Amino acid sequence: MRLLIVEDEKRLALSLAKGLTAEGYAVDVVHDGLEGLHRANESPYDLLILDIMLPGMNGYRVCSALRAAGHDVPILMLTAKDGEYDEAEGLDTGADDYLTKPFSYVVLVARIKALLRRRGTGGSPVLTLGDLRVDTGARQVFRDGTEIPLTTKEFAVLEQLALRAGQVVSKADILDHVWDFAYDGDPNIVEVYISTLRRKLGAGLIHTVRGAGYRLEAGR
């Protein structure tokens, strides 16, 4: 999943990005409200972490502008303010959740996972595809009841395929959601990870659709 952090406290933003990257997310960071709005309009994100007090354009206005443009991306707002009015204003502009600084990193991750589950998997963190089970909450994969150890990036690639099982997922889509905006390496890196997943999970699960991408079929 690809996240955008819009936070002008650079140390906090980079700390969050480092932790969330370790959790398996592709994370982009900007420190200005206008830049955040531009990036969210131009790139496909699965969730935004949006501070309220920002230079250029505050978080309320960024959130309101995204909703007015029709974007339904989940938005988790952060603020150093503490009061019912501020929370109400944030939610009224279209935010999905609200967290007051200082906050627990564990709570932040739990809120992110809850918002992503609510949007993408109907509330269930476990995807069952025949004999393949992908637990997006615990980030574990099982086949025939046996756990298959995967690296963070391997799991992230598989998750993109599993969320759209039976559909063709393009290489560009996988790059957009698994690697961050700054990645400028060889796009064929996706093929390397697909090859590794086939070796670990079995060759028959992931099919190449020539010129279009990859499709995950349910296990037997």
Side-chain angles (χ1 to χ4, degrees):
M1 295 291 175
R2 190 173 181 191
L3 312 183
L4 175 64
I5 298 174
V6 188
E7 168 61 70
D8 65 329
E9 294 182 43
K10 294 184 178 181
R11 291 182 64 180
L12 173 60
L14 295 177
S15 176
L16 292 178
K18 183 177 180 179
L20 291 170
T21 298
E23 295 279 343
Y25 300 106
V27 183
D28 295 330
V29 177
V30 296
H31 306 294
D32 176 274
L34 285 171
E35 176 63 19
L37 178 61
H38 172 74
R39 189 72 65 87
N41 273 320
E42 296 297 321
S43 303
Y45 288 100
D46 297 289
L47 183 139
L48 268 61
I49 299 173
L50 178 64
D51 189 31
I52 290 178
M53 303 302 290
L54 291 166
M57 176 183 283
N58 70 38
Y60 295 136
R61 293 177 60 200
V62 173
C63 184
S64 181
L66 288 172
R67 295 303 187 231
H71 294 284
D72 63 352
V73 58
I75 296 176
L76 173 61
M77 298 194 85
L78 305 178
T79 180
K81 294 183 177 181
D82 186 10
E84 292 181 0
Y85 175 79
D86 300 315
E87 181 173 356
E89 186 173 355
L91 296 175
D92 283 346
T93 59
D96 297 276
D97 204 351
Y98 184 100
L99 209 52
T100 302
K101 301 175 185 176
F103 52 81
S104 161
Y105 175 74
V106 173
V107 171
L108 173 72
V109 172
R111 297 281 187 91
I112 289 171
K113 289 180 177 179
L115 288 173
L116 292 174
R117 285 199 302 269
R118 194 184 308 165
R119 186 191 193 201
T121 64
S124 173
V126 179
L127 306 173
T128 302
L129 309 163
D131 64 353
L132 180 69
R133 188 161 63 92
V134 181
D135 189 330
T136 62
R139 309 194 74 77
Q140 293 177 299
V141 177
F142 300 85
R143 189 161 193 198
D144 278 333
T146 301
E147 184 174 0
I148 310 296
L150 298 181
T151 67
T152 297
K153 275 287 193 286
E154 288 165 1
F155 183 90
V157 172
L158 177 64
E159 183 179 32
Q160 287 303 306
L161 296 172
L163 286 169
R164 288 180 278 176
Q167 303 176 33
V168 177
V169 183
S170 71
K171 185 186 297 184
D173 280 345
I174 295 173
L175 279 171
D176 279 343
H177 287 85
V178 177
W179 279 267
D180 63 31
F181 185 80
Y183 179 76
D184 60 358
D186 188 346
N188 290 326
I189 189 68
V190 175
E191 296 176 13
V192 174
Y193 279 88
I194 293 292
S195 177
T196 302
L197 286 171
R198 284 173 172 152
R199 176 172 53 81
K200 290 187 174 184
L201 300 174
L205 281 178
I206 302 174
H207 299 266
T208 298
V209 181
R210 190 173 298 276
Y214 305 96
R215 182 176 62 242
L216 178 67
E217 300 288 355
R220 65 179 184 278

